[in-house]
Amino acid sequence: MDAPLLDGGGDYLPVKSLSEARTIFWAESLKMWKIAAPVAFTIICQYGTNSFTSIFVGHIGDIELSAVTISLSVIGTFSFGFMVDSLFDVHCNIDGLMMILVFGVTRQLGMGSALETLCGQAFGAGQVDMLGLYMQRSWIILLVTSVALLPIYIFAAPILELFGQEHEISEMAGKFTIQVIPQLFSLAINFPTQKFLQAQCKVGALAWIGFVGLVLHVGLLWGFVTWLGMGVDGAAVAYNITSWGIALAQVGYVMCCCKDGWVGFSSAAFSDIWPFVQLSLSSAVMLCLEIWYMMSIIILTGHLDNAVVAVGSLSICMNFNGWEAMLFIGINAAISVRVSNELGLGHPRAAKYSVYVTVFQSLLIGLLCMVVIMMTKSYFAIIFTSSKKLQEATSGLAYLLGATMVLNSVQPVISGVAVGGGWQALVAYINLGSYYIFGLPLGFFLGYSMKLGVEGLWGGMICGTALQTLLLLLVLYKTNWNKEVEQTWERVRRWGGKENVDRAEDRI
C-alpha cells in the first residue's frame, strides 16, 4: 500500500481521488480474500463431512438415509431442522439435506460469535494474550449449552413422532442422534478454536485440518460402514471420530503454534462470564432467526397442494442457494475479522472502507449468480432430477432464486459487520421485525390466501429479507465509526484490563 494513503496512526486518509479509491479497493480485497477463501474451503469440507455420511448411509437403504438425514438436521439447527425433513419424501431427502447442512453450524455460529467479536477486537487492540482467555470462556459456555441441548438429542425419537414422522424412521433417527452426542460436544471445542485462529488471520491451518479431516472421514466411513458392515452404527462412530479429531487437531495447533495468544489454562476464564453469555445469546438469536426464517418456507410449502413437487423444486433451488451461501459464510467471517481488528486498532476509516469494498464485491458476486441462474433456468434442475414435471416447476422458481441470491450476497456481509462491531442485539431486533412480523405473514398471505402457492410464500419472504437488508444498510450508513472505536476499547477494557487498553491507545 502506498504510504501517502495512511495517516500517522496507520489508518487510511480520506479518499480524494479515483486513483486512491482504486488502491484502497485492491488492498482491502486482498486482505479480505486471504481470510475468506480458506474459511469458505473449511466450510466446504465440513459440508462434505456431513454429505458423505449421508451418501454412505444412503447405500444401506432408504429408511436409513431418511433417519440419518433427519438426525443430522437436528444437530445442525437447534433441533429445528428435523421438522423440515419430516415433510420430505425419501427421494427428496438428499436435496433437502444439502440446503440444511449449509447452515449446519447454526448453534455454534450463534453462541460462538461473541468470541468472534471479542477476539477480533482484542487482537486489534494488541491484547493477544486475552484471546486464549476468551476462547476458554467460550468453551465453558458452549459446553454448558451442549448439556442443555441433551434432552433434545435423548428424546429425539418421540419428538419426531410428535411432528408426524413415521415410527420406524423416528426410532432409527433417535438411535443415531443419541449415538452422535459426542459430536455435539466436539462442536463446543471446535468453533471457539476456529474463531481464535480467524481473529489472528491464521486460517490456512483451519483449511488444512478441514481437508485432512474430510479425507480421513471418507476412509473411516468406508471402513466402518462398508468393510466392517456396521451400517448406521458405523457411520455414527466415524462421525464422532472425525469431529473430535478435527477439534483436537485445532486445539493442538493453538497450543503448539500460537504461543502469544495461548498462555495456558486459567481460572480467570470463569470470571466476568455473564456479560459474555449475554453477547453469546444475542449472537445466537440474531443468527438463528436468519436460519430458521429460510427453513420455515420448506415447512409452509409442505402443506400446499401437490407438496411433493413444490417441496422438491424448492429444495433444488435452496441447494444452489446453499452453495452460494458457503462462499458468503467465508466472506462473513472475513469482514467480521477485518472490522473487529481495525476497530481494536483504532482505525475507523479502515473499518468503514473494508465494509464498503466487501459489500460491493459481494453484490457483484450475487448479481453474477443471478445471471447464471436466469441463463440456465430451464436446465439446472437436470442435475438433481429426471422428472420433467419437477424440472418445469424448478424453472418457474428461477427468478425468485436469482433475487434471493442477490439479497443473500449483501445480507451475510452486514451480519459479519454486526459480529465484528458487537451489534448482535440490534440486528436480532431487526431480524425479528423484518422476518417474522413482516416477511413471514406476507408470505403466508400470498401463498395461502391469494392462492399463489410456493411463489407467493417465497416472494413474501423475499420481501422480508429485502426489508432487513435495507434496514441494515441504513444502520451502516448512520454508523459513527469513531464511536465504534470508543465502544470497542471500552469492551476490551472491561474484559481485558484497563492498563492493557491504555497501552494500546498510547501505541495508536
Side-chain angles (χ1 to χ4, degrees):
M1 183 181 302
D2 297 336
L5 294 182
L6 299 178
D7 61 20
D11 196 8
Y12 290 118
L13 292 168
V15 174
K16 297 181 179 179
S17 67
L18 182 60
S19 175
E20 291 180 354
R22 186 166 53 246
T23 300
I24 291 175
F25 179 87
W26 289 114
E28 284 300 321
S29 297
L30 182 62
K31 292 177 181 178
M32 189 270 290
W33 285 107
K34 278 185 175 179
I35 304 171
V39 171
F41 180 77
T42 303
I43 296 298
I44 290 173
C45 290
Q46 183 172 1
Y47 184 107
T49 298
N50 289 278
S51 295
F52 276 111
T53 301
S54 294
I55 289 170
F56 272 83
V57 170
H59 287 285
I60 301 173
D62 288 345
I63 293 178
E64 288 80 1
L65 172 61
S66 186
V68 170
T69 296
I70 292 171
S71 179
L72 290 174
S73 301
V74 173
I75 294 170
T77 54
F78 267 109
S79 77
F80 183 83
F82 67 78
M83 292 187 286
V84 177
D85 282 278
S86 67
L87 300 173
F88 281 90
D89 278 356
V90 170
H91 76 275
C92 291
N93 270 327
I94 287 184
D95 293 339
L97 174 69
M98 299 291 269
M99 182 271 288
I100 292 167
L101 291 181
V102 172
F103 303 109
V105 291
T106 305
R107 183 189 67 83
Q108 309 138 268
L109 280 172
M111 292 300 292
S113 288
L115 183 68
E116 193 170 359
T117 301
L118 296 174
C119 276
Q121 294 180 354
F123 182 76
Q127 291 187 263
V128 184
D129 58 310
M130 289 301 299
L131 269 62
L133 183 61
Y134 290 153
M135 180 174 64
Q136 293 174 57
R137 202 168 284 167
S138 189
W139 283 344
I140 295 168
I141 293 172
L142 290 186
L143 285 170
V144 172
T145 303
S146 297
V147 173
L149 288 173
L150 280 179
I152 296 175
Y153 285 72
I154 294 171
F155 298 106
I159 291 173
L160 285 170
E161 290 197 54
L162 179 65
F163 283 97
Q165 188 54 259
E166 295 178 13
H167 175 75
E168 188 176 6
I169 294 176
S170 297
E171 286 298 315
M172 186 172 293
K175 178 183 176 183
F176 182 83
T177 302
I178 292 174
Q179 289 174 329
V180 296
I181 284 177
Q183 189 267 352
L184 168 67
F185 286 89
S186 76
L187 301 179
I189 304 298
N190 183 319
F191 193 73
T193 313
Q194 284 187 21
K195 293 307 174 184
F196 173 92
L197 294 170
Q198 286 177 18
Q200 303 171 75
C201 301
K202 295 181 178 181
V203 290
L206 290 175
W208 277 109
I209 291 172
F211 175 71
V212 173
L214 176 60
V215 173
L216 292 177
H217 185 60
V218 173
L220 288 170
L221 285 170
W222 179 86
F224 287 118
V225 177
T226 305
W227 185 50
L228 294 178
M230 294 176 61
V232 175
D233 295 342
V237 173
Y239 200 55
N240 289 330
I241 292 175
T242 300
S243 299
W244 270 105
I246 291 173
L248 293 177
Q250 289 176 179
V251 172
Y253 178 82
V254 166
M255 292 182 176
C256 295
C257 303
C258 302
K259 297 298 185 182
D260 291 338
W262 176 260
V263 294
F265 293 98
S266 173
S267 60
F270 291 91
S271 63
D272 293 323
I273 205 164
W274 178 240
F276 206 104
V277 171
Q278 290 178 307
L279 186 57
S280 297
L281 290 173
S282 298
S283 302
V285 172
M286 180 190 81
L287 290 167
C288 286
L289 287 175
E290 293 176 9
I291 304 307
W292 293 346
Y293 180 66
M294 288 309 298
M295 286 189 166
S296 64
I297 188 174
I298 298 288
I299 295 176
L300 293 174
T301 302
H303 294 284
L304 293 171
D305 295 333
N306 199 8
V308 172
V309 173
V311 172
S313 59
L314 184 61
S315 68
I316 291 173
C317 290
M318 288 301 176
N319 182 288
F320 281 94
N321 188 56
W323 281 104
E324 183 202 40
M326 283 193 294
L327 172 62
F328 286 109
I329 288 175
I331 296 177
N332 172 286
I335 190 60
S336 176
V337 170
R338 289 289 302 124
V339 168
S340 59
N341 283 179
E342 296 298 346
L343 291 178
L345 282 166
H347 296 164
R349 287 196 196 94
K352 179 171 65 173
Y353 292 164
S354 66
V355 171
Y356 290 171
V357 168
T358 305
V359 168
F360 179 73
Q361 290 194 10
S362 298
L363 181 59
L364 288 181
I365 294 173
L367 290 170
L368 176 62
C369 290
M370 181 185 70
V371 169
V372 171
I373 288 297
M374 296 310 298
M375 290 178 63
T376 62
K377 65 186 181 75
S378 300
Y379 311 104
F380 67 80
I382 296 174
I383 299 173
F384 297 95
T385 180
S386 57
S387 168
K388 292 294 183 182
K389 191 173 184 179
L390 200 54
Q391 290 174 17
E392 291 175 2
T394 304
S395 177
L397 297 176
Y399 70 99
L400 292 172
L401 174 59
T404 300
M405 284 183 159
V406 173
L407 288 173
N408 285 350
S409 66
V410 176
Q411 187 272 338
V413 177
I414 306 176
S415 293
V417 177
V419 172
W423 308 343
Q424 288 93 327
L426 172 63
V427 178
Y429 285 117
I430 291 175
N431 288 352
L432 181 62
S434 300
Y435 291 158
Y436 297 94
I437 296 178
F438 175 69
L440 200 56
L442 179 60
F444 188 89
F445 172 75
L446 294 176
Y448 287 92
S449 300
M450 300 301 293
K451 307 295 185 182
L452 295 178
V454 66
E455 290 92 345
L457 283 171
W458 198 354
M461 296 180 74
I462 286 176
C463 291
T465 304
L467 176 61
Q468 182 241 27
T469 301
L470 289 173
L471 290 175
L472 290 178
L473 286 172
L474 180 62
V475 170
L476 278 182
Y477 177 74
K478 295 289 188 178
T479 296
N480 183 329
W481 292 97
N482 290 313
K483 186 177 180 180
E484 291 299 319
V485 169
E486 294 175 3
Q487 291 177 347
T488 295
W489 281 343
E490 177 59 33
R491 187 179 292 115
V492 176
R493 179 184 288 110
R494 188 191 319 150
W495 287 328
K498 180 179 184 303
E499 66 283 353
N500 290 332
V501 177
D502 290 339
R503 288 199 300 269
E505 292 176 356
D506 291 341
R507 175 173 55 82
I508 295 167

